[in-house]
Amino acid sequence: MTPRVFVPGDAAAVSMGADAVAAAVQSEAARQGKAMEVVRTGSRGMLWLEPLLEVATPAGRLGFGPVRAGDVAGLFEAGFPADGHALALGLVEELPWMARQTRHTFARVGIVDPLSLDDYRAHGGLAGLAAARALAPEEIVARVTASGLRGRGGAGFPTGIKWRTVLGAPAGEKYIVCNADEGDSGTFADRMLIEGDPFTLIEGMAIAGLAVGAAKGFVYLRSEYPHAERTLRRALAPARAGGLLGGGFDIELRIGGGSYICGEETALLESLEGRRGVVRAKPPLPALAGLFGKPTVVNNVLSLAAVPAILAHGAEAHAALGTGRSLGTLAVQLAGNIRQGGLFELPFGISLREVIETFGGGTRSGRPVRAVQVGGPLGAYLPASLLDTPLDYEALAGVDGMLGHGGIVVFDDTVDMARQARFAFEFCAKESCGKCTPCRIGATRGVETMDRIIAGTERAGNLAVLDDLATLMTDASLCAMGGLTPLPVLSALRHFPEDFHRPAHAAAAG
Amino acid sequence: MNRYPVWNIEAARAVIRAEGDTPDAVLPMLHALQAHFGYIHRDATALVAEAVNLSRAEIHGTISFYHDFRSTPPAARVIRLCRAEACQAVGCEALVTEAARLGVPVDGPAADDVAIESVYCLGNCALGPSALVDGALVGRLDAARLAVLVGGGAVAEVQMP
C-alpha cells in the first residue's frame, strides 16, 4: 500500500504554512522516487502544533509538529515515519489533549478527507440519515427532543422544540437555514467543522429537512471564512452525486456581507432575502414565519452537525453526557493569550481552570491570567477568582455570564479592562443594525461615557451614567446585540473596578 | 496592478444575470460584481435594481449596509487585520501602531497600492494576531512580518514564522 501522509488543509493550519509543508512532502517524495499519498484533512484542533503532519502506521497515526516546510527533508532522512525525530509526537490519538476528549460532532475532523464521501461513509457517516429515512417525521423530532440537544449557537434553545414548531406549522414551503455566521471572536468551531467534515453538516440539514418537511436548505456562511466557503462549495457536488442530497432536499450556500449582526437569526433571514441585515421583531417566530415568510428552522452549524450521531446512536447516548440541563458535548474553543490554543470536545461541565491550565498550559506570554471572556464579544469578562466555574449554560448564567458558542478568550495581566469595556461599546456601535434606539444610540453614548471615565472626567457621575445606560440597553433593546453589550461592560466594571479608577495619564497610555 | 477589468456595463449585466432575477439574489449579485470588478461601481446600483425589480434606493440601502462592499477599486494588496478580542489579547493593537509607522494607517488611504483594513474575527483565534492577506490567512503576525507584507512580500513567506 502507498504510504499515506496527512497534512491539514484547515485555515488555521494553512495560516502557519501547511500548504508549503504539503507541497514539500510531495516534492521530496518525487525527488526520492517514493510513492506517497498526501491527504489534506481538517485539523485535530491542537492548533499550537500546526502544521501537524501525520503518517499512517499499523499502530495508528504518528504525529509530527509543528512542521515547517524546511523540516520535511529531515523527516525523510530519518525514514518515514521518522521515529525519534525531534518533531515526533507519538501516536496522535494518545496525546493527552486527544485522549481526554469525547469527540462526537468532531469525531471525523482531522481524520477524514473532507471531500471524500467514501471516507465519510467508512467512518460512520450517513448512518443517521439512513435511520431518519426509516422514521416518521414525528419520530425524528421526538428523538432530537429526547436527546436534550440545545442550540449550540449561543442561546441554548432546545432544538427538538424548535423543530416540532416547524413540523406543526401548516404544510407548504418550509426551509432549513444553517447559521454559519460565526462572528464571535474566540470561536472557530463552525469553521473547523465545515472545513474538516462538511458532510456531517449536510447530513444534519438533510435530516432536519425530513423531520419538518422542508425541501430546501440554505447555509449562510460569513465572508471572512473563504477557506470554509471553498470546502463547502466543493462538498455539495459529491453530496448530490452520492445521494446525501437530492431526492427531495437540496442546499444552497450563501455568503454574508461582513456584518456581525447577521448572526442574529432574524437579521440573517433579512440578509438571505437580499436586504439590509436589520433585526425583525419577534413574534412571529422564524419557526412559524421565517425565510420568505415561511416556517423555518434556523440552527447553528454545531446543532445540525450533532444530529446525525443522535439518529445513528440514539437519543440516550447523547443525553447520557453532560450535566443538569446541558446535555451532550461542548466544543470548547480556547483562544487569545494561551500557550496551547485550539478546539476540543467534552461533555458539558469541565471547569474553566481545567480548560486553561490543563488543556491550555497557561498564557502564551507566561504572565498570570487576569481575565477570561467566555461566549464572544457579548459574553462576560470573568476574573481569575471565578476559574472554577464549570462550563455549562446554567453555571455560567449563575455568575452573570454566558456560555454562548463556547469560545474562551484568555487575557494576561497586561490587559486594561476599561479599554475592553470601551471596545464592547465600540463594536456594538459599528455593528448595530440601527433598528432600535437603545442599541444604535446607546452604543455610541457608551463609547463617549467610557472615554470620559478613562480620561478621568467626572468619574462618579459618568459611572452612574454608564450604569443607567447599561440598564436601558439591557431592558429595551430589540435583540441580543444591544441587550447583551452591557454584559462585558458591567462584568469588567464589577470584577476589575481598579481599571476604571486609574490615574488618567496611566489609563491614556494603556 | 490591473487584476480586475475596468467597469463595463455590458459585462456587469452578464455578471448580474448569472445570479438570477429574484430579490434574494441581491447579495450574490453584489458579491459577483465585486469579485469581477474588485468593487461595486456606482452605476451598478441601477443595474441590480432593474434586474430584481426593486428601487435603486433599496439596493443602495443594501450595498451601504454591508462592510464588505467597496465603492472604489481595492489596492493591489489588501491586508485585513483582525482587531477582535482574541487578537487584542495577543497584541494586535501594537500592529495597528506599527502599520501607521510603516506609512499605511489602518483604515486609512492606501500607500504604494497597499491598504490595511480592520476586520473583526477571521476564526484563527488561537493563533493570533491574524490577517487575511489578498484572501490568504496569516497567523502569529508580528511587526517584522507585517513589514514584509506591506513591502509586497509573498504571503507564503510569512505563513512560516
Side-chain angles (χ1 to χ4, degrees):
Chain A
M1 215 176 130
T2 315
R4 302 184 85 196
V5 176
F6 304 86
V7 182
D10 178 277
V14 169
S15 84
M16 300 302 283
D19 285 350
V21 170
V25 171
Q26 242 138 7
S27 68
E28 190 63 25
R31 201 178 62 80
Q32 300 196 5
K34 281 186 185 160
M36 192 164 286
E37 188 191 353
V38 179
V39 182
R40 302 304 297 270
T41 60
S43 167
R44 297 273 195 167
M46 297 178 282
L47 297 178
W48 80 98
L49 290 177
E50 295 293 0
L52 171 62
L53 181 149
E54 298 180 23
V55 182
T57 74
R61 290 190 192 171
L62 290 174
F64 302 86
V67 176
R68 305 290 169 226
D71 298 324
V72 170
L75 284 168
F76 272 80
E77 269 165 38
F80 231 33
D83 288 327
H85 191 278
L87 294 175
L89 302 164
L91 289 170
V92 174
E93 300 282 349
E94 290 178 2
L95 294 174
W97 177 286
M98 295 303 296
R100 288 202 52 196
Q101 296 187 50
T102 309
R103 284 172 83 107
H104 283 193
T105 303
F106 285 83
R108 286 176 286 264
V109 174
I111 295 174
V112 297
D113 174 348
L115 297 173
S116 162
L117 201 57
D118 289 338
D119 222 4
Y120 183 63
R121 198 180 285 113
H123 286 84
L126 299 173
L129 184 59
R133 280 180 174 148
L135 296 173
E138 293 76 14
E139 291 175 290
I140 303 174
V141 172
R143 289 200 186 182
V144 172
T145 307
S147 74
L149 178 65
R150 291 170 68 176
R152 296 291 192 256
F157 188 81
T159 306
I161 291 176
K162 195 181 272 187
W163 288 21
R164 185 181 301 150
T165 309
V166 179
L167 173 62
E173 268 175 76
K174 295 179 182 178
Y175 295 100
I176 308 298
V177 170
C178 170
N179 184 346
D181 196 44
E182 186 180 51
D184 288 356
S185 175
T187 66
F188 41 86
D190 296 352
R191 180 187 65 67
M192 281 188 57
L193 192 279
I194 290 172
E195 292 178 6
D197 189 15
F199 295 130
T200 296
L201 170 61
I202 295 170
E203 185 178 348
M205 290 181 71
I207 294 170
L210 283 176
V212 305
K216 177 97 193 243
F218 288 91
V219 177
Y220 187 91
L221 178 70
R222 64 200 298 260
S223 63
E224 293 86 345
Y225 283 0
H227 302 76
E229 178 188 349
R230 219 168 297 142
T231 305
L232 191 52
R233 244 184 236 299
R234 289 168 64 196
L236 289 174
R240 288 182 188 121
L244 176 48
L245 291 175
F249 186 78
D250 202 13
I251 290 175
E252 197 175 314
L253 173 59
R254 289 288 180 86
I255 305 301
S259 159
Y260 177 76
I261 194 61
C262 288
E264 195 282 334
E265 62 176 358
T266 63
L268 187 156
L269 295 173
E270 285 291 305
S271 184
L272 265 182
E273 292 182 21
R275 288 189 290 274
R276 295 164 69 90
V278 174
V279 170
R280 295 178 185 170
K282 288 192 273 195
L285 293 172
L288 294 171
L291 188 63
F292 307 122
K294 306 293 183 189
T296 304
V297 167
V298 186
N299 277 150
N300 173 252
V301 173
L302 299 189
S303 317
L304 290 161
V307 166
I310 290 169
L311 269 292
H313 307 303
E316 302 72 26
H318 185 267
L321 297 171
T323 168
R325 292 196 292 121
S326 301
L327 301 181
T329 56
L330 169 70
V332 179
Q333 299 133 80
L334 187 51
N337 195 330
I338 191 81
R339 207 155 66 81
Q340 301 177 165
L343 176 143
F344 50 92
E345 186 179 352
L346 285 168
F348 285 95
I350 186 176
S351 75
L352 268 172
R353 185 179 306 284
E354 257 191 291
V355 166
I356 293 168
E357 292 176 2
T358 311
F359 278 88
T363 61
R364 181 165 181 239
S365 61
R367 303 181 65 94
V369 173
R370 178 149 187 256
V372 180
Q373 189 178 29
V374 184
L378 304 175
Y381 284 102
L382 303 175
S385 60
L386 285 176
L387 286 188
D388 291 315
T389 308
L391 288 174
D392 70 64
Y393 294 110
E394 278 70 36
L396 260 303
V399 295
D400 295 323
M402 66 164 197
L403 181 55
H405 189 44
I408 294 167
V409 177
V410 179
F411 294 81
D412 72 11
D413 61 352
T414 60
V415 69
D416 179 340
M417 296 308 296
R419 288 269 154 206
Q420 296 307 119
R422 184 191 186 279
F423 176 75
F425 281 125
E426 188 190 351
F427 185 67
C428 183
K430 272 196 174 105
E431 298 298 331
S432 173
C433 80
K435 179 155 179 165
C436 73
T437 312
C439 175
R440 184 183 68 246
I441 307 291
T444 300
R445 290 292 95 85
V447 173
E448 294 163 2
T449 308
M450 279 310 307
D451 278 342
R452 287 190 206 108
I453 291 169
I454 290 169
T457 311
E458 291 181 66
R459 265 199 183 132
N462 278 303
L463 284 167
V465 169
L466 187 71
D467 198 55
D468 263 6
L469 189 60
T471 305
L472 176 82
M473 287 178 73
T474 304
D475 293 346
S477 295
L478 194 54
C479 82
M481 175 102 218
L484 290 177
T485 290
L487 197 56
V489 174
L490 293 184
S491 59
L493 179 60
R494 174 175 162 195
H495 298 300
F496 309 93
E498 62 276 19
D499 286 15
F500 293 71
H501 293 94
R502 288 188 186 181
H505 60 91
Chain B
M1 280 233 303
N2 289 317
R3 288 172 303 148
Y4 298 102
V6 294
W7 172 252
N8 171 304
I9 287 200
E10 281 321 305
R13 276 191 213 280
V15 167
I16 291 167
R17 210 177 301 123
E19 303 298 329
D21 59 4
T22 52
D24 67 293
V26 168
L27 255 73
M29 285 171 182
L30 296 173
H31 277 303
L33 284 168
Q34 185 152 301
H36 188 87
F37 295 108
Y39 70 110
I40 311 282
H41 191 276
R42 63 178 183 278
D43 292 348
T45 309
L47 299 182
V48 172
E50 184 186 287
V52 301
N53 201 22
L54 286 173
S55 73
R56 278 182 289 169
E58 279 170 291
I59 302 303
H60 175 75
T62 301
I63 295 172
S64 58
F65 180 85
Y66 295 98
H67 300 306
D68 279 356
F69 301 126
R70 307 171 182 283
S71 56
T72 53
R77 162 147 291 174
V78 177
I79 300 169
R80 302 183 74 193
L81 180 67
C82 178
R83 298 180 67 186
E85 290 89 338
C87 284
Q88 290 168 11
V90 285
C92 68
E93 290 307 304
L95 295 178
V96 173
T97 309
E98 181 63 14
R101 206 188 60 81
L102 293 169
V104 194
V106 175
D107 298 324
D112 288 335
D113 229 0
V114 176
I116 306 182
E117 302 171 352
S118 298
V119 67
Y120 293 88
C121 197
L122 298 167
N124 199 30
C125 318
L127 297 171
S130 300
L132 200 60
V133 184
D134 302 335
L137 189 60
V138 175
R140 295 278 188 243
L141 193 60
D142 57 24
R145 291 183 303 128
L146 180 65
V148 171
L149 289 171
V150 166
V155 172
E157 213 177 299
V158 296
Q159 277 175 336
M160 289 174 284

